[in-house]
Amino acid sequence: MSLIKQLWLIVVVLLLLAVGGSLFIGVTASRAYIEQEVLIKNADTASALALTMSQMPKDPVTLELLVSAQFDTGHYRRVELRSPEGEIIEQRIGADAIRDVPAWFVDLVHIEVPPGHAVVQDGWRQFGTLVLESQNSFAYRSLWQSTLNLVGWFGLAAVISLLLAWWIVRQIRRPLGAVVEQAQHIGERRFTTVPAPRTRELREVVEAMNHLSGAVHNMLSEESQQLDRLRQQLQHDPVTGVLEREAFISQLQIHLDSQDARASGALALVRLAHLAGINERLGRTETDALLHEVAHGLEQFAMAYGGGIVGRLNGSDFVMLIPGKIDLEQLRHDLDRRLAAMRKHGRTPVGLPGALIDYAQGDQRGMLLASLDGTLSAAEARSDEGLMIAEGPQRRSLFTSHDEWRRALQVAMAKGVYLAHYPVLDTTGELLHFECPSRLRLASEWQPAGVFMPWISRLGLDSQLDLAVIDEAIRDITQRGRPLGINLSAASIQDVHFVMELQSRLKARPDVADLLWLELPEAMAIHDLTSFRSLCHALQPLGCRIGLEHVGASFTRIADLQDLGLAYLKLDRTLVRGIDRVAEQQTILRGMATLCHSLGILAIGEGVEHREEARVLFELGLDGATGPGIRQHKKPAD
Amino acid sequence: MQAEYGAPGITALEAWFALLDRLRPADLETQLREVNDFFNRRVRWLDDIDIWGQEDFWATPLETLGRGQGDCEDFTIAKYVTLKELDVAEDELRLIYVRARIGRSSITQAHMVLGYYETPATDPLVLDNLVPSITRGSQRTDLDPLFSFNGRGLWAVGSSQSRADPVARLSRWRRVIDRMQQQGFIQGE
């Protein structure tokens, strides 16, 4: 039996005891009192009447008058005068006048009072015995009334105490519920904290559990920071802290290959001119500081532009990648101002020429970089402050204007989304889920997400597309019963309307929700943690799994995310690529996998190129792998 | 007893016990006569106010014997209790309020006697302390009966209800019965 039920039971039993006891004692005491009073009245009246009769002549008329006078003016049930032999000389009997009292109550209480006896004297002889009984219906009535009053009062008291008990129980129950929920979270390895309740006993429990959660949080922060330091050492330039050439190039390739909004954007190449001369003039330490300053300035610029990546290609060249649909002219203007500010700000006058280019899915990274380099040289030749736009590769754009794009996208979404299926397999080669990038039929061809995603986000159609994808996924799951992984865009999860729509769809189909894996790019989730949190709270109770993809740089933030109950993390391709060769990388991934497991999170490797990589990943303890190198084995039974 | 009434008290009490022992096997007439004589002889007649310092105090036989003096109620109560001890039926004994004329004069006085009724309707035998011998009521022209009572009803109540019953103490008759029970004369039968 639950504690709450026991409390209720105690309250009810106590109330019943109090009510029953009071009623019993009250009625018994009243009855005893009434019996006493009536007894005395019987005896006294009998004596008084007998005394009167003794003094009067004993003729029948006088006796009858006396008896009648007493009976008629008083309240009696019986007045009779019997001769010493027991014969009735005179008798009056009144009706039992118990009207408004229920019979069961009369039976239950049953007032019994002996009649009053007195002897009438006639000279020395005894003339007769007077027997007198008082009417006691009034006693029943008053007892009944007082019982009703008692019951009424106790009914009121019962209602009040039950209300009070209900309130108290609720006061206990609310924090208790929070404690239980927290305990369940910890059971699911989500180390949440809850506000400490006022009830002292509960508060101690909550404080202890909060302490545990805090300790776990600290442990996670430390672990992940250590891993991140390793990653930094591996991927970042030690002087400036930005990505080194190798890492940046692979990031760029990921962007060019990607199936989402990252698939187009802009690249900027900025050179710290005359580096050799500066180095000679300032010395190595000063020059390093200057390089760091430039890199830092560019990183800040990229951050302000909605998140980008900065890398150092060689001694003097910095490259910046800004994903998303970007107006190059605008970017040139903004970057120009920024570079001008950096030139002015620096301690020594430096030249910062630059070049810009836009990229789109499918572009060759070598061509892009070569084009940038050529333009930068031209800019540098012109002046140290030039910032030129490079000639990009010739691209065939599907549509020429915004309106055309909008119309075409609307039509395509109305027609339906096609979901590609890329398997994510676990260590035994079993399917975890399919990754499903969307395709839209544009210009009578199924186009990959990289083509239309930039336009989708530019035209603000994200949540519309995501809903279309969800609908298609629901249909697909219903048909095939295989788990699917769907990408959500950052704009969608910020849209309250979208989250509600999604919630109601999944609520209607709990069977589908179980097979649905929803994922967001790590950077988006970290960037808008509030929206991501509310998304998790809204959707997790419905049974679907929520995870992050492209996890790498922000792995340190896992401590902040652990209480959300993430189901899985997809670790970024940059960490996975070449895992079978680089020992440091293996250390990092092993650490990440261990950390994920301690939180009950699946760790999945992205962008696996071949089976050897997959084998090493599973050896390191990862739970799943996906990428071009992962193909589902056709089992004979399948 | 000794502490309250001294040696004469003890003597009187012992005599009373002897009387009870002696009369137990005797016939009714002897019992009546002996009891009447015993108290008429042993107890001096006085007014309550002189003995007890209060008007109309009803004393128990113990108190009456201890003092060796009492008024008419004390005589009557003592005889009533003694006869009851000798197993005379309670119904046959009644305490009777009478108006008594003293001597030949026309002065009357409130008085109490004990009546013995063979049957309720008969003329009772009167045990009085003014006239030492037992006579029929009708022959006692100096006495004018007013009202009579006995322990019935009260006694019945006394046995069925607790002695702590507060209402019971309101009646003077009832109070003296209580005191008798305390002093061990009668059992709350």
Side-chain angles (χ1 to χ4, degrees), chain A residues 186-233:
Chain A
I186 289 179
E188 292 161 9
R189 287 188 264 190
R190 291 160 56 187
F191 297 90
T192 51
T193 53
V194 298
R198 268 188 311 186
T199 321
R200 193 167 59 88
E201 292 82 352
L202 291 179
R203 191 174 58 222
E204 282 165 5
V205 176
V206 167
E207 276 167 359
M209 300 215 300
N210 280 349
H211 185 72
L212 170 68
S213 291
V216 169
H217 186 274
N218 286 344
M219 189 263 291
L220 288 176
S221 303
E222 273 169 31
E223 286 278 305
S224 55
Q225 271 162 10
Q226 209 162 358
L227 286 174
D228 198 55
R229 262 198 300 282
L230 278 175
R231 193 186 60 80
Q232 290 259 1
Q233 279 171 14

Side-chain angles (χ1 to χ4, degrees), chain A residues 313-446:
Chain A
L313 288 184
N314 54 41
S316 59
D317 290 0
F318 293 94
V319 66
M320 177 166 64
L321 185 153
I322 298 173
K325 199 67 192 172
I326 283 159
D327 185 353
L328 271 189
E329 273 304 324
Q330 182 65 38
L331 179 65
R332 192 181 82 89
H333 182 247
D334 292 344
L335 184 59
D336 204 17
R337 282 178 52 186
R338 181 79 196 192
L339 292 177
M342 279 158 64
R343 271 181 219 116
K344 236 183 277 165
H345 196 68
R347 278 156 291 185
T348 42
V350 290
L352 286 170
L356 291 171
I357 197 167
D358 60 344
Y359 70 89
Q361 201 214 18
D363 285 351
Q364 295 296 312
R365 74 165 191 260
M367 269 178 63
L368 287 171
L369 290 176
S371 180
L372 270 177
D373 207 37
T375 313
L376 180 63
S377 300
E380 199 177 14
R382 199 184 299 169
S383 87
D384 281 352
E385 301 173 3
L387 185 59
M388 286 172 71
I389 294 177
E391 188 78 10
Q394 283 303 310
R395 263 179 253 116
R396 183 177 60 87
S397 186
L398 286 174
F399 305 102
T400 47
S401 73
H402 277 47
D403 283 343
E404 274 180 58
W405 267 108
R406 184 188 296 277
R407 219 171 303 125
L409 287 171
Q410 297 277 18
V411 169
M413 278 192 277
K415 273 188 194 154
V417 185
Y418 171 79
L419 296 180
H421 285 64
Y422 296 112
V424 179
L425 301 182
D426 68 6
T427 45
T428 58
E430 292 292 323
L431 181 76
L432 280 173
H433 64 262
F434 284 109
E435 263 190 359
C436 296
S438 51
R439 305 254 192 281
L440 278 180
R441 199 166 177 82
L442 296 166
S444 62
E445 252 182 87
W446 286 110

Side-chain angles (χ1 to χ4, degrees), chain A residues 35-37 39-40 46-48 50-51 54-55 84-85 114 117-127 129, chain B residues 91 94 96 98 113 117 120-124 126 137-138 140 143 145-148 152 157 161 165-167 170:
Chain A
E35 281 181 345
Q36 284 283 4
E37 287 294 303
L39 177 74
I40 289 174
S47 294
L51 184 57
S54 299
Q55 314 315 313
E85 289 76 35
H117 286 267
V119 167
V120 179
Q121 237 5 71
D122 185 17
W124 286 108
R125 282 187 318 112
Q126 293 179 32
F127 179 77
T129 307
Chain B
D91 277 347
R94 295 193 75 79
I96 307 172
V98 294
V113 297
Y117 289 80
T122 52
D123 203 3
V126 175
S138 52
R140 291 295 299 267
L143 300 180
L146 272 174
F147 188 58
S148 73
R152 243 198 69 185
V157 172
Q161 302 233 343
D165 179 357
V167 183
L170 294 180

Side-chain angles (χ1 to χ4, degrees), chain A residues 2-203:
Chain A
S2 75
L3 185 64
I4 305 294
K5 267 194 198 144
Q6 288 181 30
L7 273 177
W8 276 117
L9 205 69
I10 287 170
V11 167
V12 169
V13 166
L14 279 181
L15 266 177
L16 282 181
L17 274 180
V19 174
S22 304
L23 259 182
F24 181 75
I25 290 173
V27 169
T28 315
S30 302
R31 190 178 65 168
Y33 171 73
I34 287 171
E35 281 181 345
Q36 284 283 4
E37 287 294 303
V38 175
L39 177 74
I40 289 174
K41 188 195 164 208
N42 283 353
D44 289 359
T45 317
S47 294
L49 188 56
L51 184 57
T52 311
M53 282 178 165
S54 299
Q55 314 315 313
M56 302 292 273
K58 308 293 183 295
D59 62 296
V61 179
T62 310
L63 289 175
E64 189 188 340
L65 275 176
L66 280 172
V67 170
S68 290
Q70 189 76 35
F71 183 83
D72 295 345
T73 56
H75 308 84
Y76 302 100
R77 208 154 61 142
R78 181 160 67 107
V79 179
E80 65 184 26
L81 182 62
R82 285 171 183 271
S83 71
E85 289 76 35
E87 290 156 15
I88 292 172
I89 301 172
E90 203 62 58
Q91 188 182 41
R92 291 287 182 283
I93 292 183
D96 265 349
I98 312 173
R99 272 187 306 274
D100 40 7
V101 181
W104 61 265
F105 184 75
V106 174
D107 287 344
L108 194 71
V109 176
H110 195 67
I111 299 173
E112 203 177 86
V113 185
H117 286 267
V119 167
V120 179
Q121 237 5 71
D122 185 17
W124 286 108
R125 282 187 318 112
Q126 293 179 32
F127 179 77
T129 307
L130 192 68
V131 180
L132 186 140
E133 263 185 281
S134 287
Q135 190 63 266
N136 53 13
S137 59
F138 77 94
Y140 285 115
R141 199 170 307 135
S142 74
L143 261 181
W144 175 241
Q145 277 305 326
S146 70
T147 305
L148 283 188
N149 287 346
L150 256 179
V151 167
W153 163 244
F154 271 106
L156 189 70
V159 168
I160 291 172
S161 22
L162 283 179
L163 278 178
L164 213 63
W166 172 79
W167 184 75
I168 291 171
V169 162
R170 208 177 57 120
Q171 286 298 98
I172 298 174
R173 195 177 208 158
R174 227 175 8 188
L176 199 60
V179 173
V180 169
E181 203 182 349
Q182 190 186 24
Q184 276 169 350
H185 284 169
I186 289 179
E188 292 161 9
R189 287 188 264 190
R190 291 160 56 187
F191 297 90
T192 51
T193 53
V194 298
R198 268 188 311 186
T199 321
R200 193 167 59 88
E201 292 82 352
L202 291 179
R203 191 174 58 222

Side-chain angles (χ1 to χ4, degrees), chain A residues 458-471:
Chain A
R458 180 180 246 186
L459 296 171
L461 297 171
D462 308 76
S463 44
Q464 204 179 333
L465 177 71
D466 281 354
L467 275 185
V469 169
I470 292 286
D471 285 338

